[in-house]
Amino acid sequence: MAYQAEYIWLDGTEPTPLLRSKTKILADGKEPPVWGFDGSSTNQATGESSDCELQPVFICPDPIRGGDNVLVLCDVHLAQDDKPHPTNTRWTCAKAAKKYAKHEMIFGIEQEYTFLKPNGEPLGFPAGGFPGPQGPYYCGVGTGRVVAREIIEEHTQACIDAGLMIEGTNAEVMPGQWEFQIGAADALTVSDHMYIARWLLHRIAEDYDVVVSFAAKPQKGDWNGAGAHTNFSTKAMREDTDMKAIEAACKAIGKKVDLHIKGYGHDIESRLTGAHETAPYNKFSYGVSNRAASIRIPWQVSRTGRGYAEDRRPNANCDPYTVTRLLLETVCSAAG
Ligand code: ADP
Ligand code: MN
Ligand code: MN
Ligand code: MN
């Protein structure tokens, strides 16, 4: 029997790329081949020379269609010469992961996001108005405290069925906001799984007429933004028991604040204000248990002297290939 392969890739939309996908029907037993698309419709090519190439990089079961059907995450190459397309950030991440492989760096990413009504208001906000202030919604239960749990249930099971490294979910501080976590794994694995999980979320929410927003600050005012806290560790951070490797990593990151902030997602200045459990984007700090620091060291880690640290700055709309690449380059180059 023929089966369906859903080819998924990142487009050239600025400032934040969108996910795109299309379906290929393949004969039983045939592997998903290299394919192409019209880059002039995705801001990745001009009309005169429009062909771009899709190279499969990660394949998993399609939990929506079931059966033998698969999802095929691709990176984009130029059709003329096979070279990676300028929008292909996976390629540069792969280079850094290879260069610093000996440090065995792993990542766990907490993906926050916001459900919106088709008119752009957050789901759970009354038409044209506001719900009660933040407080009861984080990890809440019950009508009036959480919304759209049926989407979370369906998405979580879909991620498990696809074989993704999903670790957990929780309702967030602002109504309509939720989180799931992926990891802990090497840079490419965590990022590949993250993009499939994001695609599944968009796809499942379609069926409910709900919009998924990864905007950093979807609601101005006294409402939390949406981040993608990125937890990271090297082998030394996990194994040495004197905190030195963890502190050295934080110090190295503190020397490259602008570089990291530029790569952590669009509109980060609106989110990292110093309020709403954030540190100001232009002031670097790290500390044990401190959710108002740029980087938090969990208290269990400070007790045992080893483990991981949490960079709380990346936005929900960040590119995980870029965030993990920056952390690889900064932390591992300082570690030698
Ligand atoms: P919180 O909401 O308290 O910040 P979460 O439970 O949402 O924390 O997320 C913790 C994250 O830390 C998970 O993504 C997990 O994979 C990650 N993590 C745990 N141990 C390590 C480690 N040694 N290296 C990298 N990431 C880790
Ligand atoms: Mn979390
Ligand atoms: Mn969170
Ligand atoms: Mn966190």
Side-chain angles (χ1 to χ4, degrees), residues 5 30 125 140 143 285 307:
K30 187 170 160 46
F125 279 45
T143 302
S285 59

Side-chain angles (χ1 to χ4, degrees), residues 162-192:
L164 306 183
M165 295 177 78
I166 186 163
E167 309 174 86
T169 70
N170 60 270
E172 269 302 337
V173 175
M174 183 181 114
Q177 224 163 50
W178 287 83
E179 168 180 318
F180 64 85
Q181 305 98 31
I182 300 266
D186 65 274
L188 290 179
T189 302
V190 79
S191 306
D192 291 346

Side-chain angles (χ1 to χ4, degrees), residues 106-110 167 170 179 181-184 229 231-233 238 291 296 307-308 310 312:
I106 59 170
F107 304 86
I109 304 181
E110 306 166 48
E167 309 174 86
N170 60 270
E179 168 180 318
Q181 305 98 31
I182 300 266
H229 299 168
N231 304 270
F232 60 92
S233 63
R238 292 188 295 276
R291 286 176 195 267
R296 177 177 67 100
Y308 65 99
E310 175 193 42
R312 299 176 57 79

Side-chain angles (χ1 to χ4, degrees), residues 281-295:
Y281 70 93
N282 52 2
K283 280 203 198 108
F284 180 83
S285 59
Y286 67 93
V288 174
S289 271
N290 189 354
R291 286 176 195 267
S294 315
I295 296 189

Side-chain angles (χ1 to χ4, degrees), residues 34-53:
V34 169
W35 201 17
F37 68 99
D38 166 15
S40 72
S41 298
T42 62
N43 202 28
Q44 282 164 307
T46 57
E48 307 84 69
S49 169
S50 65
D51 284 336
C52 290
E53 201 176 84

